[in-house]
Amino acid sequence: MLSRLVLVSGHILKNSGSFGACLVQASRSFHQSSQSRAPVPPLPEKGGKVRHGIFPEELFTLLYPKTGVTGPYMLGTGLLLYMLSKEIYVINHETFAAASIGVVIIYGVKKFGPSVAAFADKINEDKVAEAQEVKDQAMASLAQGIEDEKKEQWRVEGRCMLFDAKRNNVAMLLETNYRERLHMVTNEVKKRLDYQVELQNLHRRMEQEHMVNWVEQSVIKSITPQQVQGIWSLH
Amino acid sequence: MAGRRAAVKTIDWLAFAERVPPNQRAMFNSLKTRSDSVAAKLASLPQKPAPINWSYYRSVVAKAGMVDEFEKKFAELTVPEPVDTQTTKIDSQEQEASKTAAAYLEASKARIAEYENELEKFRNMIPFDQMTIEDLNNTFPETKLDKAKHPYWPHKPIADL
């Protein structure tokens, strides 16, 4: 990742938030003293302020008390004229080539600078966001794991209910069995007594019927023929 | 009738159901149905059998003394209570379950401690904006590029890019 202190486009980068987001390949191999163990302070968000793209703001601030607002401009103009008049800087073919190239470069940067900046920033932010997402997911799953473990512990506490249920079942089964036995005893005794009663009734009935039959038979037998004639003659 | 009244504790089946983990639901359901059937059977039987109307039988049965004899023997009769063989087994099962539960709790606590440690590590991490590559390699050792195995850039197999 390149550092973002590009001189020309310094003031064009509106979204320079990734100054701090750069992963700088800062190697500590030069620092031998123990102070280098301190954590690296984060990089500043934006580069130093510049005016007109190349002149740092500190120059203007420096000259302001003595020469006011126009001081640095006068200094610049004076220097330029000095160099031209004394031919310290000679105007030749290269001058026009430099001027044309300069114009094109400035135009290109002014037009395409922001979009390129945004693109580069986006790449960086995507990486950071991915890492952040991994971290968030890991934290969430760990928290969830802790919650689940606590829930399982709570569940384990309820194990005595199972054994209570089992003991209840056993007690109920025993009770049922006991009651069944009681009922069986009563029913058996009742059956025996009822049998006796029924037997007696049967005897009575049989005796009755037999007696009735016998009486009928004897009556029929005792109806002698003369009585039969006597009855017929009455009519 | 001493010792017969083993207390039947009321079980809160709803609370019990909450504590059952999902993979043991089927066992819980079968246990519940069995318990319910046993309880229903118990409820259907009256506690004491209907008393025998001795005076009626005494008046009806002609044989002298038979009813009296029956009555005497019936009053003397005690029905033996069914023997409880299972409760000790259940108690021993409960002891074992307590032991395994304690072991599980220990393991669970160890796991929670591990998770807590990792969570602390994540919480104390510096934000990604302020990390250097060294910091990143220290925090996540898997991001370290193996310069010995792949000496030329990009220090990892092309397929991994």
Side-chain angles (χ1 to χ4, degrees):
Chain A
M1 277 275 180
L2 294 178
S3 171
R4 288 308 208 85
L5 298 173
V6 179
L7 290 178
V8 175
S9 49
H11 76 284
I12 292 173
L13 297 173
K14 294 183 191 61
N15 179 18
S16 320
S18 49
F19 263 104
C22 284
L23 295 177
V24 173
Q25 303 273 10
S27 168
R28 305 283 215 140
S29 54
F30 294 116
H31 296 263
Q32 300 299 330
S33 58
S34 62
Q35 72 182 26
S36 64
R37 291 204 196 282
V40 182
L43 292 177
E45 285 278 313
K46 297 190 185 302
K49 279 180 72 59
V50 286
R51 234 192 253 209
H52 304 297
I54 22 178
F55 304 110
E57 193 67 31
E58 282 82 5
L59 179 68
F60 293 80
T61 324
L62 198 66
L63 294 174
Y64 179 78
K66 295 289 182 208
T67 53
V69 178
T70 50
Y73 294 104
M74 296 311 297
L75 177 64
T77 313
L79 272 175
L80 184 64
L81 286 178
Y82 168 67
M83 294 215 300
L84 283 172
S85 70
K86 289 285 191 188
E87 299 253 325
I88 296 175
Y89 176 69
V90 178
I91 294 189
N92 54 14
H93 308 292
E94 305 285 324
T95 312
F96 290 101
S100 318
I101 292 175
V103 163
V104 169
I105 287 181
I106 289 177
Y107 172 75
V109 167
K110 274 200 155 59
K111 195 143 159 60
F112 303 113
S115 58
V116 169
F119 173 71
D121 282 342
K122 190 163 158 327
I123 293 183
N124 209 17
E125 267 174 22
D126 284 347
K127 284 194 188 169
V128 170
E130 203 183 298
Q132 187 68 30
E133 198 183 306
V134 165
K135 176 178 166 183
D136 286 342
Q137 268 185 3
M139 283 180 73
S141 71
L142 282 173
Q144 183 64 31
I146 291 181
E147 281 306 311
D148 287 342
E149 289 289 330
K150 291 211 175 99
K151 188 140 201 266
E152 287 302 314
Q153 282 183 7
W154 175 76
R155 282 213 172 122
V156 163
E157 278 170 24
R159 68 187 179 278
C160 52
M161 285 200 229
L162 167 67
F163 296 106
D164 283 345
K166 280 193 174 183
R167 276 193 282 257
N168 272 6
N169 279 1
V170 166
M172 286 198 283
L173 282 173
L174 289 176
E175 179 69 19
T176 314
N177 198 333
Y178 181 72
R179 285 188 197 174
E180 272 176 9
R181 290 184 189 182
L182 280 178
H183 286 265
M184 196 178 72
V185 161
T186 313
N187 287 350
E188 286 294 313
V189 169
K190 210 157 187 301
K191 272 197 292 195
R192 304 247 185 291
L193 286 171
D194 284 344
Y195 170 74
Q196 291 296 324
V197 169
E198 284 301 308
L199 196 65
Q200 271 176 217
N201 289 352
L202 180 70
H203 268 280
R204 286 286 292 285
R205 225 182 26 244
M206 282 188 74
E207 280 170 9
Q208 261 180 347
E209 272 180 32
H210 185 255
M211 185 162 313
V212 162
N213 278 353
W214 187 78
V215 166
E216 253 187 62
Q217 295 234 343
S218 57
V219 163
I220 289 174
K221 263 197 274 195
S222 71
I223 298 175
T224 54
Q226 61 269 31
Q227 280 172 318
V228 170
Q229 290 298 334
I231 288 168
W232 277 124
S233 66
L234 275 177
H235 289 284
Chain B
M1 310 293 182
R4 180 164 70 93
R5 275 298 151 207
V8 176
K9 285 196 225 163
T10 45
I11 296 186
D12 186 358
W13 288 100
L14 286 177
F16 192 5
E18 272 176 25
R19 298 212 189 215
V20 169
N23 59 349
Q24 294 175 4
R25 249 225 179 243
M27 297 202 297
F28 170 73
N29 285 341
S30 62
L31 173 71
K32 183 151 198 301
T33 43
R34 258 183 299 134
S35 301
D36 287 344
S37 64
V38 168
K41 187 126 185 292
L42 179 67
S44 70
L45 288 174
Q47 188 164 356
K48 292 211 184 307
I52 302 180
N53 194 350
W54 293 110
S55 43
Y56 165 71
Y57 286 116
R58 216 190 310 272
S59 60
V60 170
V61 174
K63 218 182 212 177
M66 187 184 199
V67 174
D68 291 330
E69 205 181 312
F70 269 39
E71 194 178 355
K72 197 161 58 102
K73 290 230 180 92
F74 185 72
E76 283 173 354
L77 181 70
T78 49
V79 180
E81 298 165 17
V83 179
D84 181 5
T85 53
Q86 302 294 329
T87 308
T88 42
K89 279 196 213 156
I90 293 178
D91 284 338
S92 67
Q93 274 183 2
E94 194 172 4
Q95 306 286 348
E96 279 180 33
S98 291
K99 280 206 220 82
T100 48
Y104 180 77
L105 273 176
E106 287 303 313
S108 179
K109 287 204 176 82
R111 276 195 289 270
I112 286 187
E114 269 178 41
Y115 293 160
E116 274 295 322
N117 280 348
E118 302 226 355
L119 213 53
E120 272 312 298
K121 189 185 90 154
F122 274 113
R123 278 199 214 115
N124 293 344
M125 229 160 54
I126 53 181
F128 289 108
D129 314 10
Q130 297 173 18
M131 269 195 202
T132 66
I133 294 284
E134 269 185 22
D135 291 338
L136 182 69
N137 291 347
N138 288 343
T139 325
F140 299 108
E142 61 266 15
T143 53
K144 200 162 162 61
L145 294 172
D146 193 352
K147 304 232 167 124
K149 194 162 170 227
H150 304 98
Y152 298 110
W153 183 86
H155 305 292
K156 49 179 157 175
I158 301 286
D160 283 355
L161 271 178

